[in-house]
Amino acid sequence: MAIDKLSINDILIDNVAGAPPPEDTPHEEPIDPQQPDLTCTPDPTKTKAYRQVVGVENAARKAYGKVPGLYNKHRKYSEQWNPWHPFRSAHDFQQAQSFSQHMKTWIDQHFRCGLDNFKIESFQPADAMQKRLSEVDFRLSDDSWIDDDSHIFGTLYYRDILKCIQFLLVHLAFQAHLDFEPVHLADTEGHQIYSEMNTGDWWWDTEDQLPAGEMIVPVIVASDKIHLLNFSGDQHAWPLYRTIGNIQKEIRFTPEKRAWIIIGLIPCPMKGAKNIDEAWHSAVGTVLSQLRHLDITGPGMKWDCADGFQ
């Protein structure tokens, strides 16, 4: 082991009478490269975010006209339109929303006992309530599910993913929380801020590949195996959920906002089954097959959006 040699003066300097005191070395904390630069976080009390939108000549989003028909009724362009349709009042709608969490027998017993004080006018038995719910305008219809019996572990149930995307884009509840074009955010010192998905460099880079006037709809897919019960063979479910990156993250992260739609029910294999990974990827590939064949450099699709434009 090599030892650096020090002179006798270096060793005894602190003990020599009358020697000047050693200079204090400023104590500096080592820089941790894992710590984020929090100075770029937008804070209304300390920094001001500057929003730079893409220019008009290179518009990332072009309006092709107003959304016609049913949308305008919900926008209250018609004074005679009932916003709680097909229910007669907000009270009936809220009661149906609450009852939908209970069994049919419980609902019928509730009405037979007169516990609603006969205030509900839109429906009485559970069957009538289900009929009303099926008439709600902004919803995915019951026939939106597709059955695929070719899956190795059973029947695969999934939805048309393009229809699910359209459903979220036109949903009025997200009207004030949708981003249609990329933006650059910066604080007062010029530091770029990354907040929503449309502030990222990926959105800008992908936008350059699109024809003029088209916008991006990022698709986010998630799944988690759910344990159902310990009886009847230890049953599990494998649901597949999906949302879009145009919806702002504060809404996406709040379960009560319903920004996630279930798009697939993947059959779970029994214990000890083989080819589980292969079966999983095959099922996901089937659900997302419509997206795999899309060409983002080609002509896009004209869809309705919640801001009232196509």
Side-chain angles (χ1 to χ4, degrees), residues 286-298:
T286 300
V287 177
L288 305 180
S289 58
Q290 290 180 285
L291 300 182
R292 296 176 58 187
H293 303 293
L294 288 179
D295 180 12
I296 65 172
T297 62

Side-chain angles (χ1 to χ4, degrees), residues 4 6 11 15 25 38 77 82 101 104 108 127 139 145 149 158-159 167 230 235 248 276-277 284 292-293 304:
D4 294 335
L6 299 176
I11 298 175
N15 298 324
T25 303
L38 299 181
Y77 291 134
N82 173 21
Q101 309 297 323
K104 176 183 176 180
D108 291 338
D127 291 337
R139 62 186 294 271
W145 288 97
D149 296 328
Y158 65 98
R159 279 173 164 154
F167 173 81
N230 295 323
Q235 295 295 319
Q248 296 174 0
I276 296 179
D277 293 340
V284 174
R292 296 176 58 187
H293 303 293
D304 299 343

Side-chain angles (χ1 to χ4, degrees), residues 10-81:
D10 294 332
I11 298 175
L12 300 179
I13 185 67
D14 293 336
N15 298 324
V16 176
E23 297 180 359
D24 294 334
T25 303
H27 180 69
E28 296 182 357
E29 293 290 340
I31 299 177
D32 186 359
Q34 302 299 323
Q35 291 294 329
D37 182 11
L38 299 181
T39 59
C40 293
T41 303
D43 185 348
T45 63
K46 299 180 180 179
T47 61
K48 179 180 179 181
Y50 294 87
R51 181 185 178 97
Q52 175 189 351
V53 185
V54 66
V56 176
E57 66 280 2
N58 297 318
R61 174 188 179 255
K62 176 182 177 182
Y64 293 91
K66 288 188 176 181
V67 175
L70 182 63
Y71 178 92
N72 292 334
K73 300 178 186 179
H74 287 266
R75 292 279 293 169
K76 298 184 180 180
Y77 291 134
S78 173
E79 295 296 333
Q80 291 75 28
W81 176 250

